[in-house]
Amino acid sequence: MRKPVIAIDGYSSTGKSSISKVIANELDLIHMDTGALYRGVTYFALKNCLEQTGEINLEKLFAQLPLIKIEFKTVDHELQIFLNDEDISQQIRDKEVSSNVSLIACQKEVRDYLMETQRSIAKEGGVILDGRDIGTVVLPDADFKFFLTASIEERTRRRYLELKSMGVNMLEEEVRENLTTRDKIDSEREVAPLKKAEDAIIIDNTTLTKMETILLIKSYIHPI
Ligand code: DC
């Protein structure tokens, strides 16, 4: 029996990564949070490709892409992301990375560069990748595809509480605006926009708990 390839796409703060992580543990699959790859490149750009004005020099970044080595390693049962051997799992969640990542994720050069990392992990099967274009572009032949969505009110509430628990104080209105802007940029970009694959199953988890969402997704996954 072959292990499945599962694609989970969807809007920000629908719980894609944390849900994928649990499903991967339960089904003994490898989980890759592909957003972390875009965040890793953004972190690199902020460190190495900043203009005096504070803007990222995209041409400089494109030229340096071959120097970027991004790897996932298991540390204490957790998958950590390393950039040129530096553990950047915490840094990629910084506010500055979050506010610049959509710009970086729009760039075809960056997306092409990260494609191989994503496809190579899926070659042998037994993986769950979460992101925005997994079912449409990265793994169009995935065995199971899901598209997660939830109301903007509920996603704002979740993100607000998550930030608060991390000690970040932001107004709910500000959180809502961030989410809306990010989803707009991700959905309207020219290259690999966020959209549901035709054959993806929509999971609206506005009124579902994390556990209920996991059970619902698992109910569609069968041996292949
Ligand atoms: O899931 P996240 O918030 O960590 O994603 C960070 C950014 O990367 C977000 O703007 C969407 C983008 N992204 C993407 O364009 N394609 C992916 N496969 C994953 C994330």
Side-chain angles (χ1 to χ4, degrees):
M1 199 169 59
R2 189 166 64 80
K3 281 192 168 185
V5 170
I6 302 174
I8 301 208
D9 292 301
Y11 291 99
S12 307
S13 292
T14 45
K16 292 184 300 293
S17 286
S18 64
I19 285 164
S20 300
K21 192 166 151 184
V22 175
I23 296 177
N25 273 334
E26 291 185 2
L27 302 183
D28 194 23
L29 307 171
I30 294 172
H31 167 228
M32 181 183 267
D33 160 12
T34 63
L37 297 173
Y38 292 94
R39 288 173 178 271
V41 174
T42 307
Y43 173 76
F44 177 91
L46 290 169
K47 252 183 118 175
N48 300 289
C49 311
L50 270 194
E51 297 280 17
Q52 301 234 320
T53 53
E55 308 231 315
I56 293 172
N57 182 330
L58 290 171
E59 290 307 322
K60 192 169 173 191
L61 171 64
F62 300 158
Q64 293 197 26
L65 281 174
L67 303 178
I68 303 181
K69 184 180 80 177
I70 293 186
E71 293 170 298
F72 287 92
K73 294 182 193 167
T74 311
V75 179
D76 294 335
H77 305 288
E78 289 285 329
L79 212 52
Q80 314 277 43
I81 180 166
F82 286 76
L83 172 78
N84 298 337
D85 299 322
E86 177 194 354
D87 184 347
I88 53 162
S89 309
Q90 296 299 320
Q91 291 88 322
I92 59 166
R93 304 292 157 198
D94 283 354
K95 204 171 162 183
E96 214 184 335
V97 171
S98 298
S99 14
N100 284 283
V101 66
S102 284
L103 165 75
I104 298 301
C106 281
Q107 310 303 322
K108 183 177 182 313
E109 289 79 353
V110 173
R111 303 199 75 84
D112 287 348
Y113 183 69
L114 294 176
M115 184 68 85
E116 186 47 31
T117 311
Q118 298 170 81
R119 285 193 176 151
S120 62
I121 198 171
K123 248 183 223 149
E124 307 295 323
V127 293
I128 179 161
L129 266 67
D130 80 86
R132 306 294 193 287
D133 62 338
I134 308 302
T136 49
V137 177
V138 179
L139 303 172
D141 296 329
D143 300 300
F144 302 99
K145 297 181 185 177
F146 299 95
F147 190 85
L148 265 59
T149 181
S151 71
I152 183 68
E153 288 75 22
E154 179 56 22
R155 293 188 293 122
T156 303
R157 194 185 68 84
R158 289 178 195 163
R159 184 78 187 129
Y160 173 77
L161 291 176
E162 186 189 1
L163 287 169
K164 203 167 161 188
S165 74
M166 287 159 53
V168 181
N169 280 314
M170 259 169 94
L171 293 174
E172 268 201 65
E173 194 41 46
E174 212 182 332
V175 175
R176 182 192 168 103
E177 230 176 272
N178 275 356
L179 282 179
T180 315
T181 308
R182 213 134 68 84
D183 287 340
K184 189 170 154 58
I185 299 177
D186 291 339
S187 310
E188 292 180 358
R189 70 177 172 227
E190 270 179 40
V191 205
L194 162 67
K195 71 168 186 228
K196 180 187 129 10
E198 267 178 29
D199 50 351
I201 296 164
I202 294 187
I203 305 283
D204 181 339
N205 67 10
T206 306
T207 59
L208 301 181
T209 62
K210 180 175 162 182
M211 249 357 263
E212 286 168 339
T213 309
I214 290 166
L215 286 174
L216 179 59
I217 291 178
K218 277 176 62 188
S219 73
Y220 289 103
I221 300 173
H222 52 78
I224 49 169

